[in-house]
Amino acid sequence: MREVEAVEAVFREERGRLLAALVRRFGDLDLAEEVTSDAVEAALKHWPVEGVPPKPGAWLMTTARRKAVDRLRRDRALAARLAVLQVEAERTAYAPPADAHDDLRDLPDERLRLFFTCAHPALPAEDRGALMLRCLAGLSTPEAARAYLVPVQTMAKRIVRAKKKIREARIPFRVPGADELPERLPGVLQAIYSIFTEGYAASSGPDLQRPDLAEEAIRLARILRRLLPAEREVAGLLALSLLVHARRDARTGPGGEPVLLDEQDRSRWDRTMIEEGAALVVTALSGGPPGVYGVQAAIAALHDEAADLATTDWPQVVALYDVLLALDPSPVVALNRAAAVAMRDGPEAGLALLEELAGEARMRGYHPYLAARGDLLHRLGRRPEAAAAYRAALEAAGSEPERAHLRRRLAAAEEGR
């Protein structure tokens, strides 16, 4: 069991870089995904017997390359004879010496190339995000579906369609030029933010948070920031991620249960991370019109700088949500603004805004909306309605900690507490 867990840990850490390197070498995303999976299967077979190698990433890379060559030999429809000979000719030259490097540490920029490939304007926007989450972040298809609030079948179709388009249109694997960045960058930022969101609140499973995903998103944002230091929205995304992730240790209790913002021990927040994020907010909001990530980061900074919930500058939070709603008039932003209005003006004002969203199709099965409605109804003493809202949220919630929290809220509403 420990060996299997070790393989899974290595796979989570190395998968994106491995996949990007294989796409760069062989030019085929489907082939790269298949041989990446083959390499992991081989690891599951060999490592429990032979032990985890000292350089597991390099082991996976070598195994995946060999399996790619084997597939190219067998499948003439996949590659012409010349391509097979070229791959074999490069095989020895590309294989790293035993002491050449540690795992895949030299490949982060290759992964960014793959991000930009997946964000190519030839792909529909929803397909870009789907492909990046599935192939680069390693999210399962259901997790990617959750990130975009769509059915699993819809997400699966988007992934297949995107890979087919890349193959048929021969979309190049490269970082775009400066003239292409305004069109290409938003898709990359959205994908990284979706990865962070899944890490912040897992869509399924036994844990509320997936710190590995959140930290991976932050790492990718840092790389992007180094490559594009003049892009203010890159600074905004990194700031937002840092300011939210700074609360990670206080967001769960001893049993993994959620701890809401008003109950968190703020002394456990990471002040170094908050300081870095706050400095980046200034960069993100300076020198031009604000962007969606910069504004969200400014909201997060107000929360992080307050001593407690009562002393939070709620008028300023609402004002920032007004700006954000103008930039991104989505129901999720409207939901968050309603929660802030409830803190500024009282639960009845917030509930009125939530009721305006009741007709939004995306909100009907969105458990944060249903739970927020239940909380405001509960605060107003409308306990039967609150209980009904909590039941609906419980049906829609994915992770077990969230479900356990909602069960407690439901019990309190039913018992009149």
Side-chain angles (χ1 to χ4, degrees), residues 256-328:
E257 69 278 8
V259 178
L260 301 182
L261 188 63
D262 60 333
E263 299 173 342
Q264 290 178 17
D265 179 359
R266 299 189 179 211
S267 68
R268 299 182 65 197
W269 290 1
D270 188 325
R271 290 294 157 186
T272 300
M273 199 172 285
I274 289 171
E275 289 175 6
E276 182 184 0
L280 284 165
V281 170
V282 176
T283 300
L285 297 182
S286 301
V292 292
Y293 296 108
V295 176
Q296 289 180 83
I299 294 170
L302 287 175
H303 286 300
D304 285 4
E305 292 165 358
D308 52 37
L309 205 68
T311 58
T312 302
D313 188 348
W314 291 109
Q316 182 68 8
V317 171
V318 173
L320 286 168
Y321 271 120
D322 290 339
V323 175
L324 184 59
L325 195 59
L327 294 170
D328 178 19

Side-chain angles (χ1 to χ4, degrees), residues 3 11 26 41 61 83 152 168 173 213 320 346 383 416:
E3 289 82 0
F11 184 53
F26 299 107
E41 288 180 13
M61 173 64 81
V152 174
E168 293 180 349
F173 178 73
L213 281 180
L320 286 168
R383 293 188 180 89

Side-chain angles (χ1 to χ4, degrees), residues 101-333:
H101 58 64
D102 185 13
D103 298 337
L104 302 175
R105 67 185 181 189
D106 298 326
L107 299 180
D109 285 3
E110 300 225 11
R111 179 151 45 175
L112 280 176
R113 288 189 181 98
L114 188 50
F115 263 109
F116 278 109
T117 300
C118 294
H120 196 279
L123 300 174
E126 63 271 17
D127 290 4
R128 297 174 212 160
L131 189 61
M132 285 188 278
L133 289 177
R134 176 70 188 92
C135 296
L136 283 158
L139 271 64
S140 67
T141 301
E143 288 168 343
R146 170 64 180 168
Y148 281 97
L149 304 178
V150 298
V152 174
Q153 295 90 337
T154 300
M155 182 56 63
K157 289 179 181 177
R158 288 179 182 178
I159 292 169
V160 171
R161 186 171 60 210
K163 290 196 289 188
K164 181 180 179 182
K165 181 68 174 180
I166 287 174
R167 183 174 60 252
E168 293 180 349
R170 300 181 182 276
I171 291 174
F173 178 73
R174 63 179 179 85
V175 176
D179 59 328
E180 301 170 283
L181 276 178
E183 185 176 25
R184 301 280 295 280
L185 186 57
V188 174
L189 295 175
Q190 177 59 53
I192 296 174
Y193 185 53
S194 295
I195 297 168
F196 179 81
T197 300
E198 178 65 21
Y200 170 78
S203 60
S204 61
D207 300 316
L208 177 69
Q209 304 180 91
R210 294 179 60 185
D212 58 326
L213 281 180
E215 289 162 9
E216 177 67 9
I218 290 172
R219 196 182 71 79
L220 287 169
R222 288 191 187 282
I223 293 170
L224 200 61
R225 168 88 175 135
R226 288 198 300 270
L227 290 175
L228 303 171
E231 294 293 331
R232 293 185 298 116
E233 274 290 78
V234 176
L237 174 61
L238 179 55
L240 174 61
S241 303
L242 291 169
L243 290 164
V244 173
H245 195 55
R247 310 172 201 150
R248 65 195 180 281
D249 292 340
R251 289 188 60 235
T252 55
E257 69 278 8
V259 178
L260 301 182
L261 188 63
D262 60 333
E263 299 173 342
Q264 290 178 17
D265 179 359
R266 299 189 179 211
S267 68
R268 299 182 65 197
W269 290 1
D270 188 325
R271 290 294 157 186
T272 300
M273 199 172 285
I274 289 171
E275 289 175 6
E276 182 184 0
L280 284 165
V281 170
V282 176
T283 300
L285 297 182
S286 301
V292 292
Y293 296 108
V295 176
Q296 289 180 83
I299 294 170
L302 287 175
H303 286 300
D304 285 4
E305 292 165 358
D308 52 37
L309 205 68
T311 58
T312 302
D313 188 348
W314 291 109
Q316 182 68 8
V317 171
V318 173
L320 286 168
Y321 271 120
D322 290 339
V323 175
L324 184 59
L325 195 59
L327 294 170
D328 178 19
S330 74
V332 174
V333 173

Side-chain angles (χ1 to χ4, degrees), residues 375 389 414:
D375 287 342
E414 290 176 333

Side-chain angles (χ1 to χ4, degrees), residues 341-382:
V341 168
M343 295 302 301
R344 184 190 67 178
D345 301 334
E348 196 155 349
L351 183 61
L353 293 174
L354 290 186
E355 298 295 1
E356 293 177 6
L357 297 174
E360 292 281 351
R362 292 178 68 190
M363 295 291 102
R364 290 170 193 161
Y366 189 47
H367 92 266
Y369 168 77
L370 299 166
R373 189 170 178 275
D375 287 342
L376 293 181
L377 287 166
H378 200 172
R379 287 169 60 186
L380 289 167
R382 295 162 60 177

